Amino acid sequence: MARPAVVLLSGGLDSTTTLAIARSLGYECHALSFEYGQRHERELASARRVAAALGAARHLTLRIDLGAIGGSALTADIPVPKGRSAEDIAHGVPVTYVPARNTIFLSHALAWAEVLGAADIFIGVNVLDASGYPDCRPEYIAAFEHLANLATRAGVEGRSRFRVHAPLIDLGKAGIIRRGLELGVDFALTWSCYAPEPDGRACGLCDACQLRKKGFAEAGLPDPGSGFAI
Ligand SMILES: [Zn+2]
């Protein structure tokens, strides 16, 4: 029987490729998304489509109101930066950082994994994220894995040895896109933009749009865009 795993799924390129990798490793994938007060829900529509296309055994979307806490351009009334240079994007913690988001997300993934009897959790953090987001660094992932084994009944009773897999950790965007395509991912289902236009199109200028464009350009491939209207 396939081993169960919990896969964090935002509906973007990275988490979609991560789900495809988990599936290719033979896991029965339980995809987990969050309606956390982000500025737009388009990415959740993508997450639903991706979960279905990649055969997730189940897809849960949990609601957590991080908008009540705020503190980020993604959850509060703070403008999303547009048109930043590649150099600016590569340095410092951007205002799109959501306080402790990956700890919040991984904690929920851990809770679900414990209930499912799953020892494996997948998250799509990578080297590009890690340059600006402290909760995307390899040492953070290792620390959370340590915590997971201390913090749970399954961990202390020795029933599970939790592992947090970050299979994209050394990959840039072009490498992630190539890996996804090898695994048959349809990137037209994915969504990256932080701040869509009123008509629903990707803005093309936020950090996420720019990194996506650069990734497809470096991979020498056209971006299929988003193939559906919400
Ligand atoms: Zn954008």
Side-chain angles (χ1 to χ4, degrees):
M1 214 174 77
R3 288 165 297 164
V6 175
V7 182
L8 290 173
L9 180 67
S10 71
L13 297 180
D14 304 340
S15 64
T16 297
T17 300
T18 300
L19 175 58
I21 290 171
R23 187 179 74 156
S24 75
L25 295 171
Y27 288 98
E28 177 190 77
C29 297
H30 296 254
L32 182 57
S33 304
F34 297 90
E35 185 181 335
Y36 62 90
Q38 59 267 59
R39 295 167 67 101
H40 64 90
E41 292 183 6
R42 177 61 182 266
E43 66 183 31
L44 290 173
S46 280
R48 283 192 290 277
R49 285 167 170 85
V50 166
L54 291 177
R58 204 167 155 208
H59 179 217
L60 268 189
T61 299
L62 300 182
R63 192 174 292 176
I64 316 170
D65 186 10
L66 296 185
I69 294 175
S72 165
L74 300 192
T75 56
D77 199 11
I78 299 168
V80 170
K82 298 205 172 170
R84 296 207 302 154
S85 69
E87 202 164 66
D88 282 348
I89 291 174
H91 294 101
V93 180
V95 71
T96 46
Y97 163 74
V98 177
R101 181 172 58 181
N102 281 348
T103 304
I104 293 165
F105 288 0
L106 280 171
S107 297
H108 287 77
L110 176 62
W112 197 19
E114 186 169 20
V115 172
L116 291 169
D120 298 278
I121 297 168
F122 284 78
I123 182 169
V125 297
N126 59 77
V127 70
L128 285 172
D129 296 333
S131 64
Y133 294 94
D135 53 357
C136 292
R137 294 175 296 165
E139 53 268 49
Y140 165 76
I141 298 298
F144 192 91
E145 187 174 283
H146 182 62
L147 175 144
N149 286 296
L150 292 176
T152 52
R153 185 165 120 184
V156 297
E157 290 180 352
R159 282 189 282 118
S160 275
R161 175 78 205 160
F162 289 104
R163 284 193 63 200
V164 179
H165 302 258
L168 310 181
I169 198 83
D170 295 324
L171 294 178
K173 221 45 135 190
I176 292 167
I177 290 165
R178 284 194 207 98
R179 188 83 186 94
L181 290 174
E182 281 165 18
L183 295 170
V185 167
D186 176 4
F187 284 116
L189 299 178
T190 66
W191 183 258
S192 300
C193 183
Y194 287 148
E197 299 292 322
D199 65 5
R201 284 176 303 129
C203 79
L205 293 170
C206 69
D207 290 5
C209 280
Q210 292 205 63
L211 288 170
R212 180 178 176 122
K213 273 195 216 169
K214 192 162 168 274
F216 277 101
E218 284 173 8
L221 296 161
D223 183 350
S226 178
F228 60 91
I230 196 162

